[in-house]
C-alpha cells in the first residue's frame, strides 16, 4: 500500500501484433509521443514504448507497449515476447484484405502462447488502421 503522498503504480504489458505494414508502429508513436509519420522502417523482432497515465490523484499506470514485428507470427521468439502480457491489440490494414484475413491466425497464435494468471485468454482489441477520413469545418471524422 502506498504511504501518504505516494502514488500506487501499476505496470501492464500490452502487445501490438498484426501483419507487416499494418501501421502498428505508427499507432504506438501517435499514442505515446503524439507524433505521426507516413515513413517507418519495418520493425525487426520487437520494439518497446512506454505510456504513463495519471489515472487519478493516487494512481499511476505504466503501459508497456510491445511492438511485435509483423513477420514474427511463426517465429520461435513470439512466445518469449508474449510472456506476461495482460492485453493485446491486433491491427489490420483496411486497404489490404489479406491483413484482415490474417487476424484470426494472430489471435490463435496469441491464445496458444499466453494466458492470464487464471488461465483465461488475454483480452484483445481488433484495430482497423489506415482509414482515410476527411475533416470538414464543423464535422468530426466524416468518412470519404
Amino acid at each position: 500500500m502506498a504511504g501518504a503522498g505516494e502514488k500506487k503504480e501499476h505496470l501492464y504489458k500490452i502487445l501490438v501484433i498484426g501483419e507487416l505494414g499494418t501501421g502498428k508502429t505508427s499507432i504506438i508513436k501517435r499514442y505515446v509521443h503524439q507524433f505521426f509519420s507516413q515513413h517507418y522502417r519495418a520493425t525487426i523482432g520487437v520494439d518497446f514504448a512506454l505510456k504513463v497515465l495519471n489515472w487519478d490523484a493516487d494512481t499511476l499506470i505504466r503501459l508497456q507497449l510491445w511492438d511485435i514485428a509483423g513477420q514474427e507470427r511463426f517465429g520461435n521468439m513470439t512466445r518469449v515476447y508474449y510472456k506476461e502480457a495482460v492485453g493485446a491489440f491486433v491491427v489490420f490494414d483496411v486497404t489490404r484484405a489479406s491483413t484482415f484475413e490474417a487476424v484470426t491466425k494472430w489471435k490463435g497464435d496469441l491464445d496458444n502462447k499466453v494466458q492470464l494468471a487464471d488461465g483465461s485468454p488475454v483480452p484483445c482489441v481488433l484495430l482497423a488502421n489506415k482509414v482515410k477520413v476527411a475533416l470538414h469545418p464543423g464535422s468530426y471524422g466524416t468518412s470519404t
Side-chain angles (χ1 to χ4, degrees), residues 35-109:
F35 172 80
F36 176 76
S37 172
Q38 292 183 358
H39 308 288
Y40 287 104
R41 294 177 192 248
T43 301
I44 305 299
V46 66
D47 199 2
F48 310 90
L50 185 68
K51 176 72 172 183
V52 179
L53 304 168
N54 289 301
W55 189 255
D56 60 30
D58 301 318
T59 311
L60 189 72
I61 296 182
R62 297 177 190 277
L63 297 178
Q64 190 181 61
L65 300 166
W66 285 54
D67 184 358
I68 310 294
Q71 64 271 30
E72 286 293 319
R73 180 177 68 236
F74 299 112
N76 294 328
M77 293 302 294
T78 53
R79 186 174 302 276
V80 174
Y81 298 156
Y82 290 3
K83 188 176 180 179
E84 297 178 8
V86 296
F89 293 102
V90 178
V91 182
F92 73 96
D93 176 348
V94 298
T95 68
R96 294 173 30 227
S98 63
T99 67
F100 180 69
E101 293 161 4
V103 161
T104 54
K105 293 174 188 162
W106 280 98
K107 177 68 165 98
D109 187 56

Side-chain angles (χ1 to χ4, degrees), residues 102-122:
V103 161
T104 54
K105 293 174 188 162
W106 280 98
K107 177 68 165 98
D109 187 56
L110 178 70
D111 291 346
N112 287 329
K113 292 180 178 172
V114 67
Q115 292 81 35
L116 297 179
D118 66 2
S120 62
V122 170

